């Protein structure tokens, strides 16, 4: 594994991944740790980012096809979970009401950070060894547990599997970032409309 990836995982699991922010939650950690970590991730990946042809990426029809299909299946997973188990509170509900910066983090920053850590690095490491299902299960399990919602663990796990599959099929992490950000935006929109 590349040393940049190791540093990203260390930063992720120490400062923004499952747990840390919850254990030392205050206006400073909420305000600065996610955006600082995201900037650091992008800095560590700067060589890979410099090699991306963004014009080609934006014209990549496969990315949009898989993003649409992936989003559809993620919505189905969450809807089925809500029908079977009911609606439940998640950790970000209180954070969104308390910290004004949270909607931006939920829709933009978290998808970038989480997709880099869970899909690009953890899933990617297994997938590069032709272990798609092991990588998808491991990364999706950590992703699901990291959302601290027993009631929604199944929906998050299926979402993780869908994100791995969309990433693999489209060939770009941009697809899973797009799905993740869109799903989070839809979730915020629904919660806003429900009041």
């Amino acid at each position: 594994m590349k040393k940049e990836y190791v540093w990203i995982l260390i930063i992720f699991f120490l400062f923004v991944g499952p747990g840390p922010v919850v254990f030392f939650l205050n206006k400073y950690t909420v305000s600065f740790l996610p955006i600082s970590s995201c900037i650091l991730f992008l800095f560590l990946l700067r060589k890979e980012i410099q090699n991306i042809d963004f014009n080609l990426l934006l014209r990549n029809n496969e990315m949009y096809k898989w993003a649409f299909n992936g989003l559809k299946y993620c919505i189905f997973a969450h809807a089925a979970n809500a029908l079977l188990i009911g609606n439940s509170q998640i950790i970000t509900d209180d954070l969104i009401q308390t910290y004004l910066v949270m909607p931006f983090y939920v829709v933009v920053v978290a998808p970038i950070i989480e997709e880099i850590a869970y899909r690009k690095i953890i899933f990617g490491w297994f997938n590069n060894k032709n272990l798609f299902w092991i990588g998808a299960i491991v990364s999706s399990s950590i992703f699901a547990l990291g959302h601290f919602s027993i009631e929604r663990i199944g929906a998050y796990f299926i979402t993780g599997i869908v994100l791995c599959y969309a990433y693999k099929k489209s060939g770009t992490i941009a697809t899973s970032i797009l799905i993740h950000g869109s799903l989070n935006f839809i979730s915020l929109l629904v919660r806003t409309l429900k009041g």
Side-chain angles (χ1 to χ4, degrees), residues 3-164:
K3 68 178 180 179
E4 294 88 357
Y5 291 3
V6 172
W7 278 112
I8 287 170
L9 289 177
I10 290 169
I11 292 163
F12 179 74
F13 286 107
L14 284 179
F15 298 112
V16 289
V21 172
V22 175
F23 298 120
F24 47 91
L25 192 63
N26 62 53
K27 63 184 175 183
Y28 301 106
T29 57
V30 168
S31 297
F32 298 114
L33 286 180
I35 195 70
S36 300
S37 298
C38 187
I39 290 167
L40 201 49
F41 283 22
L42 297 174
F43 175 76
L44 289 167
L45 295 173
R46 69 190 178 281
K47 290 179 184 171
E48 289 182 37
I49 293 169
Q50 288 170 348
N51 291 329
I52 297 171
D53 181 346
F54 286 97
N55 288 322
L56 188 61
L57 178 66
L58 291 172
R59 287 187 263 126
N60 181 349
N61 290 332
E62 287 296 301
M63 178 181 73
Y64 296 111
K65 177 182 108 178
W66 286 106
F68 177 78
N69 286 322
L71 180 60
K72 177 175 59 176
Y73 291 118
C74 290
I75 290 170
F76 289 156
H78 284 274
N81 193 86
L83 287 172
L84 293 171
I85 302 197
N87 289 329
S88 60
Q89 238 1 60
I90 55 173
I91 226 166
T92 53
D93 289 347
D94 291 335
L95 296 177
I96 289 166
Q97 292 174 359
T98 307
Y99 302 104
L100 296 175
V101 73
M102 283 306 292
F104 171 73
Y105 284 167
V106 167
V107 174
V108 178
V109 177
I112 293 170
I113 290 173
E114 291 182 2
E115 292 311 309
I116 289 172
Y118 293 126
R119 253 57 72 185
K120 181 171 182 56
I121 299 175
I122 297 171
F123 166 72
W125 187 81
F126 286 101
N127 191 51
N128 288 340
K129 298 179 180 317
N130 293 319
L131 300 170
F132 171 85
W133 284 109
I134 292 173
I137 289 168
V138 168
S139 68
S140 299
S141 297
I142 300 168
F143 176 73
L145 292 169
H147 283 83
F148 297 106
S149 176
I150 295 298
E151 296 91 356
R152 294 184 182 194
I153 199 164
Y156 284 123
F157 179 77
I158 292 168
T159 295
I161 297 287
V162 169
L163 291 168
C164 289

Side-chain angles (χ1 to χ4, degrees), residues 173-193:
I173 196 68
T175 305
S176 58
I177 292 171
L178 187 58
I179 295 168
H180 195 151
S182 300
L183 189 63
N184 287 359
F185 175 76
I186 290 167
S187 176
L188 280 177
L189 186 63
V190 167
R191 289 180 177 278
T192 301
L193 293 172

